[in-house]
Amino acid sequence: MAAFGTVFTPEMIISHFHNNSWSQPELVATDSISLHPGAHVLHYSSTCFEGLKAFRHADGGIYVFRMDKNVARLAQSSQLLALPQIDGAVLQQMILDIVKRYAADVPNPPGSMYIRPTHIGTEASIGKAAAPSLESMLYVLLSPVGDYFAGGAKPLRLLLEDSARCAAHMGMVKSGGNYASALQPIMKARAAVQADQVLFCPNGDVQETGAANFLLIDGNEIITKALDSSFLHGVTRDSILTLARDRGMKVSERELTIDELLERAQKPGTEAALSGTAAVLTPVGTLIHAGKEYQVGSGQGGTTTAALRQALNDIQWGKAEDKHGWLVKVC
């Protein structure tokens, strides 16, 4: 397979908001978007998106995972960015329709079809720096992807940085600007200490990395930051925590300081991981802070991280019972 997220189906499904109403969703060529150079999104970043997956089961059926949660989060992001309100039911149908059309292109496990609903402000007005776009475009893009861990799940190196990923009130918005603002710190961390990612910890409060939620696993307990507006409310995070509770683990959603993190990380058997749609759970082996490196537990991927990732994959691939009703059959 090509690099993750670089191959696309030839068509996508799209709807436009104009004159206070949405157009009928239609199939168009994936490379057919046309934007005025004064479009609101190009100047004032009125953009949000989602990432979810469709999976092929052994019986040939195609299933989308937790679509309702992703659609609800896109609606929330749209509202917080003052974009036109989306109809969740219509977007869900758009997702089902485009996935069904390209069902034959959904890879077998461990591959999947990555689904990217996107909402952007399209009104041509460069005078609206302090006003919302009254026109927008909602589309669903598909990208067949392979095994994220084809080369093995290498434990990551994280640099702890005493700064925020984005403005505190924007953290729960899945907006392109939040990712762009994290790029420079990540690039500097890679060049300076060969870190794979930055773990943003404003005022010593452990939050998230540039593109994933952070989980600390200490024995039978998972510790992660409690939900607030400062960071993204990950669907994978929620899924993993639910499966951890199912296994009888203690889930602590609370404040976690850098000092406590580093102290716990050095205990034998401690694990840390990043959660996200692409990789599900990625093990963290090293934390870097104030010029010093701290090994997390054994420094390798832990058994609990691997077990939780496998448990979620098994549900997604139809190898385990979907007790929580997370899957929606497409065809």
Side-chain angles (χ1 to χ4, degrees), residues 55-63 108-109 316-319 329 331:
F55 300 87
R56 181 181 299 280
H57 288 191
D59 63 1
I62 305 299
Y63 294 79
N108 290 318
Q316 293 170 331
W317 296 332
K319 297 179 180 179
K329 188 171 185 178
C331 58

Side-chain angles (χ1 to χ4, degrees), residues 3 11 24 28 33 40 55 72 77 83 102 110 125 136 144 153 168 193-194 204 218 268 271 285 301 319 331:
E11 293 176 310
Q24 185 70 23
V28 299
I33 282 182
H40 198 274
F55 300 87
S77 293
L83 281 164
Y102 287 96
S125 176
S136 68
V193 294
Q194 294 73 58
D218 186 355
E271 303 173 35
K319 297 179 180 179
C331 58

Side-chain angles (χ1 to χ4, degrees), residues 45-250:
S45 299
S46 51
T47 170
C48 53
F49 62 93
E50 278 300 319
L52 62 157
K53 288 178 177 177
F55 300 87
R56 181 181 299 280
H57 288 191
D59 63 1
I62 305 299
Y63 294 79
V64 178
F65 183 73
R66 303 206 75 177
M67 176 174 60
D68 57 335
K69 290 283 286 186
N70 285 276
V71 167
R73 192 170 64 179
L74 187 68
Q76 174 183 268
S77 293
S78 298
Q79 179 185 24
L80 294 173
L81 289 173
L83 281 164
Q85 182 178 354
I86 67 171
D87 185 321
V90 171
L91 178 54
Q92 289 198 39
Q93 193 60 52
M94 289 171 67
I95 292 171
L96 294 175
D97 287 347
I98 191 66
V99 172
K100 183 176 182 179
R101 183 171 179 83
Y102 287 96
D105 293 328
V106 178
N108 290 318
S112 59
M113 182 66 82
Y114 192 87
I115 307 166
R116 176 55 63 92
T118 305
H119 191 193
I120 62 175
T122 55
E123 183 179 0
S125 176
I126 57 174
K128 282 197 161 186
S133 175
L134 299 181
E135 299 178 359
S136 68
M137 179 188 300
L138 176 66
Y139 60 87
V140 182
L141 190 63
L142 299 183
S143 176
V145 296
D147 181 7
Y148 197 86
F149 290 118
K154 176 188 173 185
L156 301 180
R157 292 166 53 85
L158 303 185
L159 174 66
L160 277 58
E161 184 164 298
D162 188 4
S163 64
R165 173 175 176 252
C166 59
H169 67 286
M170 284 289 290
M172 62 193 294
V173 182
K174 196 170 177 66
S175 178
N178 290 353
Y179 292 80
S181 66
L183 286 178
Q184 280 291 338
I186 294 169
M187 292 168 63
K188 291 177 181 178
R190 287 174 179 166
V193 294
Q194 294 73 58
D196 297 292
Q197 262 287 355
V198 170
L199 180 56
F200 293 97
C201 309
N203 301 312
D205 176 33
V206 178
Q207 294 192 340
E208 62 182 337
T209 67
N213 292 132
F214 178 80
L215 307 173
L216 180 67
I217 303 171
D218 186 355
N220 196 48
E221 181 181 17
I222 291 186
I223 304 170
T224 188
K225 182 174 173 59
L227 297 178
D228 62 24
S229 65
S230 69
F231 76 109
L232 192 65
H233 302 178
V235 176
T236 303
R237 170 193 179 278
D238 180 75
S239 303
I240 290 294
L241 295 184
T242 299
L243 294 179
R245 293 187 182 99
D246 289 348
R247 294 165 63 94
M249 295 185 69
K250 177 182 179 182

Side-chain angles (χ1 to χ4, degrees), residues 12-32:
M12 63 180 182
I13 192 165
I14 193 168
S15 178
H16 300 269
F17 187 84
H18 181 69
N19 289 334
N20 293 314
S21 66
W22 285 99
S23 67
Q24 185 70 23
E26 60 179 331
L27 290 168
V28 299
T30 294
D31 60 357
S32 66

Side-chain angles (χ1 to χ4, degrees), residues 231-293:
F231 76 109
L232 192 65
H233 302 178
V235 176
T236 303
R237 170 193 179 278
D238 180 75
S239 303
I240 290 294
L241 295 184
T242 299
L243 294 179
R245 293 187 182 99
D246 289 348
R247 294 165 63 94
M249 295 185 69
K250 177 182 179 182
V251 175
S252 299
E253 297 182 75
R254 61 172 176 79
E255 297 300 309
L256 176 63
T257 65
I258 289 178
D259 289 342
E260 181 184 359
L261 169 60
L262 296 179
E263 180 182 348
R264 286 179 178 264
Q266 297 174 83
K267 295 168 56 179
T270 298
E271 303 173 35
L274 301 183
S275 67
T277 300
V280 182
L281 271 185
T282 307
V284 174
T286 305
L287 302 172
I288 307 165
H289 179 61
K292 183 178 178 181
E293 295 193 6

